[in-house]
Amino acid sequence: MALFLNTPKLNHWIPKLIEKSEEELILIVPYIQTSENVLKALNKADSNGVEITLVYRENKLSDYEKSKLLALKNINLLHHPNVHCKCYYNGDLLIVGSMNLYEYSEKNNREMGMLMHRFDIEDDEKGFEIYSDEKEVFDDCIHEIREIINGASLEKSSDKARERSFEIGIIKTEEDLARDLCNRLNKSFLNKKFKPFEINSKVWFAKCDNYFDKVDVIFEDKRIAIKFKLDQEELIKLYNTWVNVYNEYEFDGFKYYWNDPHQELLLYRDFTFDWSDDTNKDKKYYEGISGIIEKYRKLTNK
């Protein structure tokens, strides 16, 4: 549920959004004259290693204000000839409204805005939980953010941006994220080749066709789907044999379900295992899928 913001609430939430940034921060504001509170928040985000991307209106930034921004180590500074929107986004919190990063606006103007968020948050003033907003709201806004950044001119990029060809993770599309996952899996799984696979509009997964003969593997949001491409008689025979020896936790680090012969077998992570390391994570995925394939071969004599 979006939260309405007047001027005092914008003055509270904009610095908070900046400070709460974990990895990346995007600010699109035509006019900038940073207040002490905003500059303090920006410096804190910068010291925490947050990659800051700021787009302002062309020819509307004084040399003095620019020097303050360029002092930030992790700043990407761009300008756009026609930008007039005001947008603040850190991957979770999103503010769209009328307020610039302008000290006069903070103190004198009547401003309005809306705060949206991907996850449930606690309202500091009222002391209750505010539920997350619809994914489609973020998708539409992120599309416009990408368009603005693509159409802007780059003045200064951070070392990190130059290293990774100016990729901003928090505005990647579902297809981009699926492609990134495929690239990572293909490095770990060697001869098994995953490709982006569109389930429906704006929903993309990583899929390996024929991971093993007549077996497809699909990495979905929080699980791995394994599809056995057998004819009707073989599939039902396999399913009936399998459920007779079914053990939800038989594969170390995972639990799995197969509730219908005509649906995919679903492999989930068991969080008693440490999944924090990406290298070990991919190795463990390989082991889990291999366990399923080994059982499939044993039960079908393939």
Side-chain angles (χ1 to χ4, degrees):
M1 181 180 69
L3 183 66
F4 173 78
L5 306 177
N6 58 12
T7 303
K9 288 184 178 180
L10 282 164
N11 288 335
H12 168 77
W13 276 105
I14 289 175
K16 185 171 182 176
L17 180 151
I18 294 170
E19 290 183 357
K20 278 183 166 287
S21 304
E22 294 183 358
E23 295 183 1
E24 296 173 322
L25 169 67
I26 295 174
L27 308 172
I28 301 177
V29 283
Y31 309 110
I32 302 171
Q33 187 184 81
T34 51
S35 65
E36 183 178 340
N37 285 341
V38 167
L39 191 59
K40 181 180 177 182
L42 285 169
N43 278 304
K44 182 176 180 181
D46 188 57
S47 66
N48 290 336
V50 174
E51 191 79 356
I52 303 167
T53 299
L54 190 152
V55 184
Y56 70 94
R57 191 177 179 102
E58 188 176 34
N59 300 321
K60 297 298 181 180
L61 184 64
S62 70
D63 291 340
Y64 175 66
E65 288 298 324
K66 187 181 292 189
S67 68
K68 289 194 289 184
L69 295 171
L70 292 177
L72 299 170
K73 180 181 178 182
N74 300 301
I75 187 79
N76 300 301
L77 190 63
L78 303 93
H79 60 77
H80 192 290
N82 302 316
V83 70
H84 195 259
C85 60
K86 294 84 178 176
C87 175
Y88 309 82
Y89 179 51
N90 67 6
D92 177 18
L93 300 177
L94 167 68
I95 293 175
V96 177
S98 62
M99 183 178 279
N100 288 290
L101 282 181
Y102 217 78
E103 189 169 22
Y104 181 89
S105 300
E106 295 178 17
K107 294 179 178 178
N108 300 287
N109 288 353
R110 300 296 296 264
E111 306 279 359
M112 290 186 186
M114 300 297 290
L115 169 69
M116 291 158 279
H117 42 95
R118 287 190 182 276
F119 307 103
D120 297 348
I121 60 172
E122 296 290 333
D123 186 284
D124 294 342
E125 297 176 356
K126 298 178 181 177
F128 61 80
E129 192 171 55
I130 306 173
Y131 296 111
S132 59
D133 293 288
E134 293 293 329
K135 178 179 178 294
E136 288 76 9
V137 174
F138 284 89
D139 289 343
D140 290 342
C141 186
I142 288 168
H143 174 78
E144 187 64 19
I145 290 172
R146 283 198 303 268
E147 291 287 303
I148 291 170
I149 291 175
N150 286 343
S153 299
L154 180 66
E155 290 188 41
K156 189 260 183 185
S157 60
S158 69
D159 293 340
K160 192 183 296 184
R162 286 191 292 273
E163 288 172 7
R164 60 185 189 185
S165 303
F166 204 83
E167 286 191 351
I168 305 174
I170 59 175
I171 59 170
K172 285 188 175 183
T173 64
E174 294 287 336
E175 183 180 1
D176 292 334
L177 294 172
R179 184 172 288 106
D180 288 348
L181 176 58
C182 289
N183 291 338
R184 197 189 87 201
L185 292 173
N186 289 339
K187 290 178 182 178
S188 301
F189 284 57
L190 300 178
N191 65 306
K192 310 298 185 182
K193 297 305 177 187
F194 288 84
K195 297 179 181 179
F197 174 64
E198 187 176 20
I199 301 298
N200 53 52
S201 179
K202 297 184 180 180
V203 178
W204 290 78
F205 295 143
K207 182 181 182 183
C208 180
D209 291 313
N210 231 43
Y211 185 98
F212 183 76
D213 191 34
K214 297 184 178 180
V215 181
D216 292 346
V217 173
I218 305 168
F219 275 72
E220 299 182 352
D221 287 334
K222 296 181 180 179
R223 65 191 187 187
I224 301 169
I226 298 175
K227 183 177 182 179
F228 302 109
K229 299 183 295 182
L230 305 173
D231 63 39
Q232 180 88 348
E233 185 178 342
E234 283 184 299
L235 185 61
I236 292 175
K237 181 180 178 181
L238 170 63
Y239 177 78
N240 290 334
T241 305
W242 196 302
V243 295
N244 286 332
V245 290
Y246 171 74
N247 175 3
E248 180 181 350
Y249 291 96
E250 67 181 289
F251 304 109
D252 183 51
F254 297 93
K255 59 180 179 178
Y256 78 96
Y257 305 97
W258 194 16
N259 299 324
D260 187 313
H262 303 291
Q263 295 179 353
E264 292 88 353
L265 182 153
L266 301 176
L267 190 65
Y268 292 84
R269 291 182 290 178
D270 177 4
F271 284 95
T272 58
F273 177 80
D274 181 11
W275 289 95
S276 59
D277 186 288
D278 276 349
T279 304
N280 288 335
K281 186 187 298 181
D282 290 344
K283 181 181 178 182
K284 199 66 179 175
Y285 286 150
Y286 185 86
E287 291 174 1
I289 296 169
S290 296
I292 296 290
I293 298 297
E294 184 179 342
K295 183 163 185 171
Y296 163 72
R297 297 190 67 181
K298 182 179 179 181
L299 295 179
T300 57
N301 297 314
K302 291 187 182 293

